Amino acid sequence: MDCPGCGLQRSLLFLFRGEFVAAFKMYPAIYPMIALFTFLIFKNRFQLKHESNITFSLMFVTSAAVLINYILKFI
């Protein structure tokens, strides 16, 4: 049985090789995750005006992408 994170490591390997489409096909939630983690690192270094709203939005989009990907695996 697949888990919600199945394909994440292979997707990262595709990214490191420069195969961006293959990374997305392997695990579509990879790009929202990268955006979230990049923003969290950026947020710790700089003060931003609407950082809580941006963080919440990115977390919501990432969670939704993971759940949608997980549900679609069973269809």
Side-chain angles (χ1 to χ4, degrees):
M1 181 173 221
D2 286 339
C3 68
C6 286
L8 178 63
Q9 291 176 339
R10 289 175 283 172
S11 181
L12 285 172
L13 289 175
F14 281 130
L15 277 178
F16 290 140
R17 291 184 198 150
E19 300 176 25
F20 302 111
V21 175
F24 180 78
K25 287 181 180 178
M26 181 61 62
Y27 194 70
I30 189 72
Y31 293 117
M33 274 188 192
I34 290 172
L36 174 63
F37 291 133
T38 302
F39 179 76
L40 290 175
I41 291 168
F42 184 75
K43 180 181 95 161
N44 286 334
R45 297 185 187 266
F46 304 101
Q47 279 296 83
L48 301 172
K49 189 173 185 179
H50 300 286
E51 66 184 32
S52 62
N53 291 338
I54 296 170
T55 302
F56 177 77
S57 298
L58 285 172
M59 290 175 74
F60 180 78
V61 168
T62 301
S63 300
V66 169
L67 288 174
I68 290 169
N69 181 46
Y70 185 61
I71 291 169
L72 290 177
K73 285 182 181 181
F74 293 112
I75 294 177

